[in-house]
Amino acid sequence: MASLGSIIFALFSLPFLVASQDQPLSWEDDQFYECLLQEPTIFPRQLGSLFYTQSAQSYWPILQSTLRNRRFNSSDASKPRYIITPHNSDHIRAAVMCSKRFNLDLRVRSGGHDYEGLSYLDRRGPFILLDLGQFRNIDVNVTDETAWVEAGASLGEVYYNIANKSGTLAFPSGLCRSVGVGGHISGGGQGALMRKYGLAADNVIDALIVNANSTLLDRKGMGEDVFWAIRGGGAASFGVVVSWKLKLVHVPPKVTVFTVERSLEQGATTLIEKWQKIINHLPKDLFIRILIVMGKDKRGLPTVEAIFESLYQGKIHQLMPIMQKHFPELNLKAEDCKELTWIESALYFDDGYKRGESVPDLLNRHLNYKPKFFKAKSDFVTKPISREGLKTIWDTFMQLGGEQRLMIFGTIRWKTE
Ligand SMILES: Cc1cc2nc3c(=O)[nH]c(=O)nc-3n(C[C@H](O)[C@H](O)[C@H](O)COP(=O)(O)OP(=O)(O)OC[C@H]3O[C@@H](n4cnc5c(N)ncnc54)[C@H](O)[C@@H]3O)c2cc1C
Ligand SMILES: *[C@@H]1O[C@H](CO)[C@@H](O)[C@H](O)[C@H]1NC(C)=O
Ligand SMILES: *[C@@H]1O[C@H](CO)[C@@H](O)[C@H](O)[C@H]1NC(C)=O
Ligand SMILES: *[C@@H]1O[C@H](CO)[C@@H](O)[C@H](O)[C@H]1NC(C)=O
Ligand SMILES: *[C@@H]1O[C@H](CO)[C@@H](O)[C@H](O)[C@H]1NC(C)=O
């Protein structure tokens, strides 16, 4: 880990009745439904909205609800035989048990942001979608600075609920409000506080999972190896995460943010070279990432632009001398900076201000979200990219032209010195 420089990624009951209203359950579907009902205390018949066959009216809207990549919205994409939307961990246990008994694959979806749609596609055969969209409780305890969050909660909901209880507690995770904590934390989770506090997964102190035997286990029950694996190893390989217990972190009442754009003509390449050298030596309170996008030069011709996005856990007058000392070439001005509360910064990084939103809008994971047709990939870079390397990237951007391209240079060196 010691040589790890930067991370770079590019983005390019009632249900029974409902089903039987559309058309009667087939013998097979009925058998499956009976299996769900067999689990003690599970799926009481009067409880609605938990089990959907393909002919149920809500099947399609639920399937679409967090389909976040239009690439996988084709008619030939594999479709789940059933959708189960659990409200408690017993429902999850029943889903695991019955999928095993009926030899159906189980896909688990929290926020649906998987780059390859792995949470709602399965090309190997018939499968069940366990959709945690209704499984989103958040319980913040300010006294011991922790929060229990259910796997389907979005980052925006987690942030809002923390800030609702305290102006100086936060959680270090991603910058996009609609990402789900189920997939996000089980894969790591990086964001603007990570230079100081590490990844989201580093700040999990307990968890509840349902394993392949449909047993509900906490950290003690699953053991330290499994607890380690589900925090970065992709939890779906080990079970279904029901909820996480998060250790909250401290932020000052005001943080400083800035976004400055520099085109190739304005020396973007040299600035990026410098950024690569200094980024791991800046004070831990300072986070700066770079977005590479296609822009227009003064004559309106296509060019590559570097956008420096930053969060500093302090005030403008404290930030300016740090930038002057470490990165004077960026030529940052106090006027480029804004002092915000941490929760306002969450809205800022998710472009909320640009769209005229306010803090409570963080609760809405569908607001202004237009699923894109995209291919994205993350990678680690273990030594700085050379000037020639950067130029090759710019050439590739220019050649591809047209459609939106995005590349993000992050940083993830933490506790390595
Ligand atoms: C627009 C966008 C912005 C992003 N921004 C950031 C960012 O700022 N920082 C960052 O680090 N990442 C970011 N990501 C990546 C994101 O963190 C991952 O794609 C993450 O896996 C998404 O989690 P999810 O719950 O939304 O996705 P899902 O598609 O629901 O799940 C992703 C994977 O996790 C599994 N999974 C989901 N829930 C569970 C569960 N409860 N138990 C077991 N397995 C489960 C799924 O089966 C699937 O394999 C972004 C992605 C997108 C599309
Ligand atoms: C998926 O395609 C259908 C049919 O073309 C369309 O109605 C729906 O809005 C699309 N969903 C998303 C999330 O793009
Ligand atoms: C919060 O945590 C404290 C300390 O662990 C505990 O005493 C208290 O009961 C918790 N509060 C709630 C509402 O759970
Ligand atoms: C906290 O949430 C309550 C209930 O939604 C709301 O009325 C209140 O304004 C919120 N307070 C803060 C500080 O966000
Ligand atoms: C499931 O139960 C079987 C039989 O008791 C046991 O051998 C196996 O290890 C268990 N699997 C898990 C993942 O706990």
Side-chain angles (χ1 to χ4, degrees):
M1 282 302 271
S3 65
L4 195 55
S6 46
I7 182 172
I8 296 192
F9 66 99
L11 276 189
F12 312 86
S13 87
L14 194 57
F16 183 52
L17 296 176
V18 167
S20 60
Q21 271 168 8
D22 298 349
Q23 70 185 69
L25 285 184
S26 69
W27 185 81
E28 267 185 336
D29 296 349
D30 194 44
Q31 292 296 299
F32 186 83
Y33 188 61
E34 285 300 319
C35 171
L36 291 176
L37 292 173
Q38 274 167 26
E39 268 289 281
T41 75
I42 300 179
F43 284 93
R45 281 180 192 270
Q46 72 277 17
L47 203 67
S49 333
L50 295 172
F51 172 69
Y52 304 89
T53 62
Q54 293 186 346
S55 61
Q57 277 166 12
S58 303
Y59 174 94
W60 180 248
I62 294 173
L63 183 60
Q64 289 275 315
S65 63
T66 54
L67 193 161
R68 298 305 198 183
N69 190 339
R70 284 194 5 244
R71 191 151 59 97
F72 305 117
N73 189 26
S74 65
S75 51
D76 58 354
S78 60
K79 301 266 186 310
R81 178 172 294 177
Y82 309 122
I83 300 177
I84 297 173
T85 56
H87 293 178
N88 62 45
S89 58
D90 282 342
H91 298 153
I92 297 176
R93 291 179 47 222
V96 171
M97 187 191 78
C98 299
S99 67
K100 216 164 134 181
R101 185 174 298 168
F102 283 74
N103 205 18
L104 294 165
D105 259 357
L106 189 70
R107 290 300 197 194
V108 191
R109 183 167 72 175
S110 290
H113 284 66
D114 192 276
Y115 287 165
E116 297 302 324
L118 293 181
S119 52
Y120 52 90
L121 296 177
D122 191 338
R123 296 189 179 84
R124 289 177 301 191
F127 70 105
I128 301 169
L129 170 60
L130 187 65
D131 185 292
L132 302 179
Q134 295 307 315
F135 199 72
R136 314 213 302 270
N137 260 352
I138 296 170
D139 202 352
V140 178
N141 187 327
V142 179
T143 316
D144 66 1
E145 302 181 350
T146 61
W148 273 104
V149 300
E150 287 181 345
S154 65
L155 296 182
E157 289 170 322
V158 172
Y159 296 162
Y160 181 87
N161 278 277
I162 296 169
N164 188 269
K165 294 263 179 79
S166 162
T168 53
L169 289 175
F171 187 68
S173 49
L175 301 175
C176 175
R177 85 185 67 174
S178 50
V179 165
V181 294
H184 186 67
I185 298 181
S186 64
Q190 43 155 334
L193 301 179
M194 70 179 165
R195 295 199 61 243
K196 185 161 184 181
Y197 293 115
L199 300 176
D202 295 316
N203 294 279
V204 172
I205 51 179
D206 203 342
L208 291 175
I209 65 163
V210 170
N211 75 359
N213 285 351
S214 58
T215 311
L216 181 69
L217 301 166
D218 65 3
R219 176 175 182 168
K220 198 153 166 272
M222 75 183 87
E224 286 305 305
D225 282 351
V226 175
F227 185 64
W228 178 80
I230 59 170
R231 291 172 301 145
S237 307
F238 306 97
V240 180
V241 174
V242 173
S243 51
W244 305 105
K245 187 179 189 184
L246 312 179
K247 179 80 196 107
L248 306 182
V249 301
H250 291 261
V251 288
K254 289 280 181 175
V255 299
T256 298
V257 297
F258 70 78
T259 303
V260 295
E261 293 163 22
R262 301 287 184 258
S263 65
L264 291 185
E265 291 97 330
Q266 292 168 314
T269 310
T270 308
L271 292 173
I272 294 169
E273 278 189 298
K274 178 79 193 267
W275 175 88
Q276 295 189 98
K277 291 203 186 94
I278 59 160
I279 189 64
N280 292 325
H281 304 290
L282 296 173
K284 299 283 186 231
D285 283 323
L286 179 56
F287 164 84
I288 307 175
R289 70 169 185 172
I290 309 173
L291 276 54
I292 310 291
V293 297
M294 288 296 294
K296 293 240 162 71
D297 69 10
K298 286 189 215 97
R299 291 161 299 162
L301 297 173
T303 181
V304 173
E305 232 166 16
I307 305 175
F308 293 81
E309 272 192 344
S310 172
L311 180 139
Y312 173 64
Q313 295 180 57
K315 297 205 161 184
I316 297 174
H317 71 86
Q318 296 164 307
L319 172 63
M320 293 313 290
I322 297 172
M323 292 300 288
Q324 193 50 47
K325 179 173 167 207
H326 294 278
F327 204 3
E329 299 86 347
L330 189 63
N331 197 17
L332 183 75
K333 305 264 188 331
E335 307 88 84
D336 298 324
C337 303
K338 273 198 211 31
E339 286 177 5
L340 300 173
T341 61
W342 169 73
I343 192 67
E344 288 168 340
S345 80
L347 195 65
Y348 175 87
F349 283 114
D350 197 18
D351 285 345
Y353 286 110
K354 276 190 202 156
R355 298 187 295 236
E357 298 166 4
S358 59
V359 168
D361 291 328
L362 287 170
L363 293 172
N364 189 341
R365 58 204 172 118
H366 300 297
L367 187 70
N368 293 322
Y369 195 104
K370 295 201 187 67
K372 293 195 174 78
F373 188 98
F374 72 89
K375 167 77 186 174
K377 184 168 173 23
S378 302
D379 213 339
F380 292 95
V381 174
T382 51
K383 55 183 199 296
I385 301 175
S386 67
R387 208 173 169 84
E388 294 72 52
L390 290 172
K391 286 201 167 127
T392 308
I393 297 174
W394 308 160
D395 288 346
T396 310
F397 258 67
M398 297 292 272
Q399 275 160 23
L400 292 168
E403 284 173 64
Q404 195 183 342
R405 313 276 159 193
L406 172 65
M407 184 165 194
I408 304 174
F409 288 42
T411 172
I412 199 168
R413 186 168 177 188
W414 183 63
K415 279 193 179 168
T416 55
E417 273 137 59

